[in-house]
Amino acid sequence: MTEETNEFWWWANGDGALKTVDQSELEQALSRGSITARTLVWKSGWAEWVRAAQVPVLEPSLPKHL
């Protein structure tokens, strides 16, 4: 496992509710379509929230039809 896999990530739902997950849960949510590439994500150490599509490590989990 990489160090990133052991860190917690957060995502913000459309209604502003936050969900805390590990990287594998986040990747699964993206690949299942539970959240989209436009979903805002964040992890400790980042200055701001970014869209999932902007995070290189999450790119393999994004649906290929984007």
Side-chain angles (χ1 to χ4, degrees), residues 4-50:
E4 293 163 298
T5 303
N6 296 325
E7 293 180 357
F8 286 104
W9 293 69
W10 289 262
W11 82 61
N13 291 341
D15 63 2
L18 302 180
K19 173 131 177 132
T20 306
V21 295
D22 65 26
Q23 185 174 326
S24 65
E25 290 173 294
L26 178 57
E27 291 168 342
Q28 289 172 15
L30 284 165
S31 64
R32 284 192 314 260
S34 300
I35 60 174
T36 70
R38 293 182 174 181
T39 300
L40 293 174
V41 298
W42 182 85
K43 70 177 185 173
S44 182
W46 287 8
E48 59 188 17
W49 290 76
V50 297

